[in-house]
Amino acid sequence: MDEQRVRERGPAQWWQHGPPWWNHPEATATTGATTIATTGAGTGSGAGTPRRRLPWRSTLLLTILVLVGSNFAAHTQPHREHLDTYARLLLLATCALLLWRHRHPVTVVFGTAALALVYLGAGYPYGPVFAAVAVACFGAVVAGHRRAAWAALGMLWAGHLLISLWLYRWLPPPGDTGTGPGQEVIIATWVLIIVSVAELVRLRREQWARERADRAQAARRRADEERLRIARELHDVLAHSISVINVQAGMGLALLDSDPEQARSALTTIKAASKEALGEVRQVLDTLRAPGDAPRTPAPGLGRLPELVEQAASAGLTVDVTGEPPHLAPGADLAAFRIVQEALTNVVRHSGSRHARVRLEDGGGKLRLRIDDDGPATGADAGGSGNGLAGMRERAAALGGTIEAGPRAEGGFRVLAVLPLSGRGDPGDPGYQDVREDR
């Protein structure tokens, strides 16, 4: 499990899930993209979004580019008004609004469009002032305020159209002439390009957000599956061993005075059972540690069935085994062993019978495990958690198998498990990781 987590934290494929710095609070991209990927087409001012630092670095860089670029543009457009103090104040105000483009994207996009329109209406040269409007529009679209961005750009284009075709007679510079439809088409095309690029970025950000949410949900699901797997392992190990210890402790107490030698044998069995239980618990807990911290012993399987029979015999239960264990995948082998172990533990705890039968049959690519006892049920509280049968069903279902458990018509109780010999469930099944982890 730890190795799997390390692999998942490997080199990020940012072209699939977005660059790692995209949502960083210190992002300084001059595009003005916000880090809040929201959907919808609201027209609010970004209320309810987390408070963030003002993007003063990117805004300062853009302001320098706009001022320097406007100076160059003024030299190439001598027929327009020269850049004076009022022009520079308008440019500074337009760029300064971008400081709040993350917190109030709607206000900023309308504000920059209005100031740019005033700048053009005053007859100042065309130039990078449109870059500030583009950044504000980009931020509004990415933040989810698409209608506001479209409306602001539409207002700017309509205002420019009105100025260039009609109001130019009364507005500076003196002697200005109207523009033709071709120039307005070019301007409209640039407006559409800006909005289209912003829309594409918004869609891509939403896709990245969904992918991150899916990965987080998958990680939580894997953690839950691992937690349930360890819980099943601990339950099966402790339930069986504690049942043996409980029976032997009761026998030792009863024979302590009358038959000390038999009491000594019971204590020896308790020591062996507790030692084995500690070893298996340690093996389960090793899965929580980093690889290499502690060696892991092989997971138990049906090859240890004779040991299980001996442990049951020490608890006073005679077990007859019919059939030979087939070759199983590690996950299926462990599941089969735990199912037999839990079934025999339930016989020790809940059945008045001191005899059980285990039958193994394989054919058709499946293993059939049948555990019978003759009963009757004792009806006494054995102190179990009640999760034994549920754990068996989970193990079988994880491998694509089934469990049937219930009273027999002739008396007693039967557990019938059908497991695929391959032991490989569907990768989408909750227990598929069991097979992979137990290898």
Side-chain angles (χ1 to χ4, degrees):
M1 178 180 179
D2 295 310
E3 293 175 349
Q4 182 181 0
R5 284 197 292 262
V6 170
R7 287 194 298 270
E8 291 173 352
R9 290 196 297 265
Q13 296 180 349
W14 61 266
W15 57 87
Q16 295 180 0
H17 309 300
W21 44 262
W22 187 269
N23 283 328
H24 196 279
E26 298 293 333
T28 59
T30 58
T31 56
T34 75
T35 62
I36 308 300
T38 57
T39 57
T43 57
S45 59
T49 57
R51 305 293 291 179
R52 300 183 52 203
R53 290 184 178 181
L54 296 178
W56 60 269
R57 294 177 182 173
S58 58
T59 302
L60 178 60
L61 177 60
L62 183 64
T63 302
I64 295 174
L65 292 176
V66 168
L67 291 175
V68 174
S70 297
N71 282 326
F72 280 104
H75 288 89
T76 61
Q77 303 175 43
H79 60 283
R80 305 289 292 179
E81 291 289 319
H82 293 292
L83 287 180
D84 53 18
T85 303
Y86 296 107
R88 289 183 171 84
L89 287 176
L90 282 173
L91 293 175
L92 285 174
T94 303
C95 295
L97 279 177
L98 296 177
L99 286 172
W100 291 273
R101 66 184 182 269
H102 293 160
R103 299 182 181 180
H104 309 287
V106 174
T107 302
V108 170
V109 72
F110 276 104
T112 54
L115 289 174
L117 192 59
V118 172
Y119 175 86
L120 296 176
Y124 295 118
Y126 293 92
V129 65
F130 292 110
V133 181
V135 169
C137 172
F138 191 87
V141 171
V142 171
H145 303 287
R146 303 159 59 195
R147 293 179 182 176
W150 280 86
L153 287 181
M155 178 190 74
L156 177 61
W157 181 74
H160 180 268
L161 185 67
L162 188 64
I163 291 172
S164 60
L165 296 181
W166 181 39
L167 296 179
Y168 68 91
R169 298 182 181 92
W170 301 279
L171 295 175
D176 193 13
T177 59
T179 60
Q183 183 177 350
E184 296 303 324
V185 170
I186 293 175
I187 295 176
T189 302
W190 277 107
V191 169
L192 291 176
I193 290 174
I194 291 172
V195 176
S196 299
V197 171
E199 288 285 349
L200 289 175
V201 173
R202 180 186 64 84
L203 293 174
R204 187 56 177 157
R205 281 174 59 89
E206 291 178 359
Q207 181 182 355
W208 288 340
R210 286 193 298 268
E211 290 172 353
R212 284 193 295 270
D214 291 342
R215 292 198 305 274
Q217 183 178 6
R220 289 193 297 269
R221 184 173 63 250
R222 288 192 297 270
D224 290 341
E225 291 168 1
E226 180 68 3
R227 177 178 57 81
L228 290 175
R229 186 186 75 85
I230 294 175
R232 285 197 301 267
E233 286 292 298
L234 289 176
H235 173 273
D236 292 346
V237 170
L238 295 178
H240 176 75
S241 300
I242 297 301
S243 295
V244 173
I245 291 172
N246 180 63
V247 171
Q248 292 297 324
M251 183 184 303
L253 287 174
L255 300 175
L256 186 60
D257 296 327
S258 60
D259 193 346
E261 197 61 33
Q262 188 67 23
R264 180 186 298 274
S265 176
L267 291 175
T268 302
T269 302
I270 290 175
K271 179 180 179 181
S274 61
K275 180 179 180 181
E276 181 179 359
L278 286 174
E280 293 199 25
V281 169
R282 186 179 296 112
Q283 176 187 345
V284 173
L285 296 180
D286 280 346
T287 61
L288 299 178
R289 300 178 180 177
D293 284 358
R296 295 184 58 183
T297 57
L302 290 180
R304 290 180 54 183
L305 197 55
E307 298 179 25
L308 200 57
V309 171
E310 291 180 7
Q311 293 177 2
S314 66
L317 180 66
T318 302
V319 180
D320 295 332
V321 179
T322 305
E324 292 295 328
H327 178 72
L328 296 172
D333 205 18
L334 173 64
F337 177 83
R338 294 301 188 201
I339 289 172
V340 175
Q341 185 182 53
E342 179 62 26
L344 295 181
T345 300
N346 288 339
V347 174
V348 173
R349 281 179 168 180
H350 306 294
S351 177
S353 173
R354 296 295 86 189
H355 184 260
R357 295 176 297 279
V358 176
R359 184 177 182 86
L360 297 88
E361 299 176 352
D362 64 284
K366 295 183 180 296
L367 168 67
R368 293 171 58 88
L369 279 173
R370 192 177 70 192
I371 302 95
D372 295 326
D373 71 89
D374 298 327
T378 61
D381 183 9
S385 64
N387 295 323
L389 289 177
M392 286 193 287
R393 290 191 175 95
E394 289 173 359
R395 288 184 182 278
L399 300 171
T402 59
I403 286 283
E404 297 178 8
R408 300 192 308 158
E410 58 272 25
F413 199 83
R414 169 174 292 173
V415 174
L416 176 62
V418 180
L419 304 176
L421 291 178
S422 64
R424 295 179 181 271
D426 190 294
D429 290 340
Y432 181 74
Q433 179 140 349
D434 289 358
V435 179
R436 182 175 53 201
E437 291 292 341
D438 287 321
R439 291 191 174 188

